[in-house]
Amino acid sequence: MKNLFKNRWSRWINRRIPRSDLQTFSQKNIFILPTGAGVVFGLLLFIMLLTGINYQNSLIYLTTFLLGAVFVGAMHQTHRNLAGLELTLVQPGEGFAGDDIPFHFRLRAGRDDAIAILLSCEESCHAPVHVHSGQAQDVTLPVHSAHRGYLRPDRIRIETRFPFGLLKAWSWVRPVSAGVVFPRPVPAPEAFSTVDDGEESADARSVDGNDHADIRPWREGDLSQRVQWKRFARTGQMVVADWEGEQGSPHWLDFNAYPGADHELRLSYLAFLVNERGKSGARFGLNLPGQVIEPDSGPAHVARCLRVLATWGEERPRDATTEPHGTRKRRSAESPQTTKEGQV
């Protein structure tokens, strides 16, 4: 029953608040209810009213009706804080998996001041802001990410409890634009690209092909295929041979250079190498299945490579689709329903 009610509530909210990067709040999409303090305040007013009726005390009547008027006035003012306010998603953020991704919003007040406006998304929130009438203010809301890919929050909540905290008025914005979450960098083991630059790469190789190799001790992260197992069985020393003839072009970061790792770990290795090449300013290219970025250098090239790693194999969220935060869980394809006509 709880899940059924929750699903119906979500569908009703989604119909009432369609996806958009720009939301203007009005009576159609503002919700208002008493807070815990407001419920207690209302109960006290009810008890005072019963007491005044019982004792026919004019002073109690006066106090009760005066406090009731304050409650009604607070209701109008709380609703007025959001009415006419415009919230725009200016820029969805970028970052690495596991970090908080900054989403940049712009608040623009209408005819009235927007006081103590609070933006939140699940466990993340921004300090209350005050936007004067007719003015705008930029706000950055951090959204937590779990995995690489596109990050589009289902709902961003906007709320106010001004002036007395007796009532809360709130609404949501459901963004269309999605942020990008890069793979979490993982230190990559030493491996060689399988991409060949042609003559330039051939000149850099040893003239003796695979006759020369660098023998070094095994390090954590080295692929098991490169371990000299015969020498290990003979001497007990675990060493790795790096054959010169196996080395591809040093200008390429290759997805296929880590055959023993799963796809997500390979992307994390490549993200680490992209960051390292970006820090050193070296020229490099990126080779992924179905996608190749030619060698280049500079911050723009690094950012492009990280975006490609983040979105490789991913589909951009559709407007009508609600995806969990930063996950790569694809919606299972719905099997087509076939109907058979009955024979009379």
Side-chain angles (χ1 to χ4, degrees), residues 138 176 260:
D138 291 341
V176 174

Side-chain angles (χ1 to χ4, degrees), residues 14-46:
N14 293 344
R15 288 195 302 267
R16 197 173 186 88
I17 304 177
R19 283 201 175 274
S20 175
D21 289 340
L22 172 62
Q23 185 71 271
T24 301
F25 302 104
S26 62
Q27 293 180 353
K28 296 181 179 180
N29 52 21
I30 296 178
F31 307 87
I32 185 168
L33 282 175
T35 62
V39 172
V40 174
F41 187 84
L43 290 176
L44 291 177
L45 286 182
F46 181 70

Side-chain angles (χ1 to χ4, degrees), residues 75-115:
M75 183 190 311
H76 285 281
Q77 179 59 46
T78 304
H79 183 274
R80 190 175 172 184
N81 286 334
L82 287 185
L85 183 66
E86 184 180 278
L87 179 63
T88 307
L89 175 59
V90 178
Q91 181 182 8
E94 297 178 344
F96 291 97
D99 295 340
D100 290 334
I101 309 301
F103 277 67
H104 303 283
F105 292 90
R106 178 165 297 158
L107 289 165
R108 184 178 299 277
R111 295 181 305 172
D112 303 311
D113 291 353
I115 306 174

Side-chain angles (χ1 to χ4, degrees), residues 109-152:
R111 295 181 305 172
D112 303 311
D113 291 353
I115 306 174
I117 304 300
L118 178 68
L119 287 181
S120 63
C121 179
E122 292 190 349
E123 298 180 356
S124 176
C125 64
H126 187 277
V129 296
H130 180 184
V131 186
H132 294 283
S133 173
Q135 297 184 5
Q137 183 170 341
D138 291 341
V139 175
T140 300
L141 177 67
V143 178
H144 184 70
S145 63
H147 304 282
R148 74 167 183 94
Y150 292 103
L151 174 62
R152 185 177 69 176

